Amino acid sequence: MALSYFWSKEFLTNRYFLWLLFWCNAVGTVYGYIWYGEQMKLTLAEQPVWQIVFVPDSPTASLFFTLALLWVLYPPRSIIIKRIGHVIQALAVVTSVKYGVWAVSIIFAGWMQGGTQHWQDWMLIASHSAMAIEALIFVRFFGFRWTSLVVAGLWTLLNDTMDYTYDIYPWLPASLYDHVDGVRNFTFGLTLVSILCAWLALRQAKRT
């Protein structure tokens, strides 16, 4: 069997593979919300309730991707449901690329600033790298267009603004708290890069 088969539409859209991917992401999403549990509790205790939406960044990105797969498994006939799916798919790509790369970058940055390495860091590196990769791979099977991409981009920029306006950004390695301004600038820049990557991947998908 040629390696190219594992890149083919036949393999990637096989329903058994899609369900496997769905459940892997669903379990990862639940684990991600549990991981954010303490920060979410603290936010609810000390901040306005509406800000809780902007706290669990990576698991919400994973949730978007999990839901996006349902639109591939069950293509809707309703135009309204289809358009909703397109927005979710665009959010899945932009946020999965953004937070996948962000988490890996922050872990390495923390190490470079003298932070301690933990085994969980390698687990997070592997899982967040997979988030970014799978999103870019599945762009060609998603049906969204530039309008949905604009919505996804605006939402992600809004999330960044909320994070760094109200200090509800993901908890950082201790060695990076003296560099929050740099992290903020990197975060906004990475959002723009993620939107660009999603747009370029979408253009490439249309050509193939």
Side-chain angles (χ1 to χ4, degrees):
M1 182 183 298
L3 286 175
S4 58
Y5 172 73
F6 297 102
W7 177 252
S8 67
K9 181 178 181 180
E10 180 184 1
F11 174 76
L12 293 173
T13 60
N14 178 281
R15 295 186 72 83
Y16 292 106
F17 180 73
L18 286 173
W19 276 117
L20 174 63
L21 203 59
F22 173 89
W23 286 112
C24 286
N25 278 274
V27 171
T29 298
V30 172
Y31 179 80
Y33 282 114
I34 294 172
W35 181 277
Y36 272 86
E38 289 302 316
Q39 185 174 0
M40 293 172 70
K41 290 178 184 176
L42 186 63
T43 301
L44 287 173
E46 299 182 355
Q47 307 279 100
V49 174
W50 61 267
Q51 292 183 12
I52 195 66
V53 176
F54 301 101
V55 173
D57 294 336
S58 292
T60 301
S62 179
L63 176 62
F64 286 141
F65 188 82
T66 304
L67 294 175
L69 290 175
L70 290 178
W71 267 260
V72 180
L73 283 160
Y74 301 103
R77 295 183 180 181
S78 165
I79 295 298
I80 294 176
I81 301 301
K82 186 179 293 185
R83 294 292 181 261
I84 293 172
H86 289 171
V87 173
I88 291 175
Q89 289 172 342
L91 283 164
V93 175
V94 173
T95 59
S96 292
V97 172
K98 186 266 183 74
Y99 293 114
V101 174
W102 186 90
V104 173
S105 301
I106 291 301
I107 290 170
F108 280 112
W111 290 350
M112 291 175 64
Q113 292 297 320
T116 303
Q117 295 187 24
H118 303 281
W119 71 266
Q120 295 97 327
D121 293 340
W122 292 106
M123 178 270 291
L124 292 172
I125 288 170
S127 60
H128 284 78
S129 297
M131 280 176 57
I133 292 169
E134 68 182 2
L136 292 175
I137 287 175
F138 273 84
V139 166
R140 59 184 170 133
F141 308 123
F142 292 161
F144 69 87
R145 295 294 181 264
W146 69 268
T147 49
S148 298
L149 185 56
V150 168
V151 173
L154 290 175
W155 166 262
T156 311
L157 288 168
L158 173 63
N159 196 111
D160 293 344
T161 302
M162 295 299 102
D163 278 357
Y164 293 93
T165 299
Y166 298 104
D167 294 333
I168 53 174
Y169 50 82
W171 286 345
L172 302 171
S175 57
L176 290 183
Y177 277 101
D178 289 335
H179 307 279
V180 172
D181 287 349
V183 172
R184 178 198 61 209
N185 295 339
F186 170 72
T187 301
F188 276 94
L190 185 56
T191 294
L192 298 177
V193 170
S194 299
I195 296 168
L196 177 61
C197 286
W199 178 69
L200 291 174
L202 191 62
R203 286 192 62 187
Q204 181 62 33
K206 291 180 180 179
R207 296 175 182 174
T208 58

